[in-house]
Amino acid sequence: MTPPSTPDHFAIAIDGPAASGKSTIARELAKRLGLIMVNSGAMYRAVTWQVIQHQLDPHDATAVIGLMDQLDIRCGDDGSTSTITINGIDPGDALRSPEVNASVSAIAAIPEVRARLVALQRDYLKRANVVMEGRDIGSVVFPDTPYKIYVDAAEHVRAARRVDMGEVDSVAKRDAADSRRTTAPLIVADGATVLDNSGHTVESALEATLEILKQQGLPI
Ligand code: DC
């Protein structure tokens, strides 16, 4: 897959492990800079939700790819944040169910699933400047963007964050799977700056992020 030539729009890539606070940073950054915030994890979650609905084994790549061929996945935005429908349905809160949390890493490890979703992620740049958060945005989706941040936080901080959100999610297990997979594993992308978000407030994390982006050459 060759990254598209995108002279008119830019992407800010925010990657990092589960519950590191990257979604919050991406959302606040999008608000501050007037960008579209794209949650790429929602795309992997939406496919996982369908796999569960169809009672397929998430580890059965052939079955998952067969199902995916029948799915009409549409990604858009509401003016500030990405939206997704599958076969015309917005999965909403179902994307964050314990079942989806438990199976999404298996689905995200399937190269054919990734190829299709990465194409949809790159499509965003045809219409808007984006801040996109995920695991491989700086390494695979937009490797040429100069604006890359890897948001990390101590494991106990991340686990506590999920509990605060009222979610059942084995963060460490998911991170291990996402980091060890063969295709597009979670890594600190070339050129990315690491932001340790363990002790930040939302406001101070946003200021630190803006400072990094300035240093990376974003004219703000
Ligand atoms: O960001 P999140 O926790 O909602 O992502 C859910 C899962 O999707 C994550 O465990 C791994 C996968 N994912 C991925 O492989 N690549 C991305 N760019 C985003 C998410």
Side-chain angles (χ1 to χ4, degrees):
M1 272 180 291
T2 314
S5 153
T6 50
D8 296 334
H9 295 117
F10 66 84
I12 298 174
I14 311 264
D15 290 301
S20 57
K22 59 189 186 310
S23 304
T24 305
I25 290 177
R27 192 175 319 113
E28 293 303 312
L29 194 60
K31 264 193 242 162
R32 177 73 76 94
L33 301 179
L35 314 173
I36 302 291
M37 188 282 221
V38 181
N39 175 352
S40 68
M43 301 184 192
Y44 294 93
R45 287 173 178 274
V47 174
T48 306
W49 168 70
Q50 276 295 301
V51 166
I52 293 168
Q53 294 278 96
H54 285 81
Q55 301 184 341
L56 300 179
D57 175 359
H59 297 278
D60 182 347
T62 308
V64 172
I65 294 162
L67 171 67
M68 222 184 159
D69 286 342
Q70 297 162 36
L71 300 179
D72 177 18
I73 305 173
R74 305 229 176 164
C75 296
D77 69 82
D78 62 9
S80 62
T81 309
S82 57
T83 56
I84 186 162
T85 61
I86 292 209
N87 293 346
I89 300 169
D90 175 352
D93 290 343
L95 293 187
R96 306 211 67 93
S97 72
E99 293 78 15
V100 168
N101 283 342
S103 294
V104 66
S105 290
I107 300 300
I110 302 172
E112 290 82 354
V113 170
R114 301 200 70 81
R116 185 148 166 218
L117 297 185
V118 166
L120 293 172
Q121 290 154 17
R122 288 182 178 154
D123 275 351
Y124 272 98
L125 227 55
K126 291 181 186 156
R127 51 182 198 261
N129 294 328
V130 299
V131 47
M132 190 173 290
E133 54 113 344
R135 303 294 187 288
D136 63 339
I137 310 305
S139 58
V140 173
V141 182
F142 299 122
D144 295 337
T145 181
Y147 315 124
K148 300 183 189 183
I149 300 182
Y150 184 96
V151 180
D152 210 347
E155 195 174 310
H156 69 275
V157 173
R158 296 190 289 113
R161 203 170 269 148
R162 272 298 185 265
V163 172
D164 286 350
M165 289 166 77
E167 270 195 39
V168 178
D169 187 6
S170 176
V171 164
K173 206 169 152 196
R174 209 144 59 81
D175 288 340
D178 294 340
S179 304
R180 284 185 202 138
R181 68 179 177 226
T182 315
T183 308
L186 171 65
I187 52 163
V188 180
D190 276 351
T193 301
V194 177
L195 171 66
D196 182 350
N197 195 26
S198 305
H200 275 296
T201 62
V202 172
E203 292 74 24
S204 68
L206 176 62
E207 291 313 316
T209 302
L210 288 166
E211 195 48 48
I212 291 169
L213 291 170
K214 265 189 221 163
Q215 283 170 14
Q216 291 179 341
L218 191 67
I220 44 178

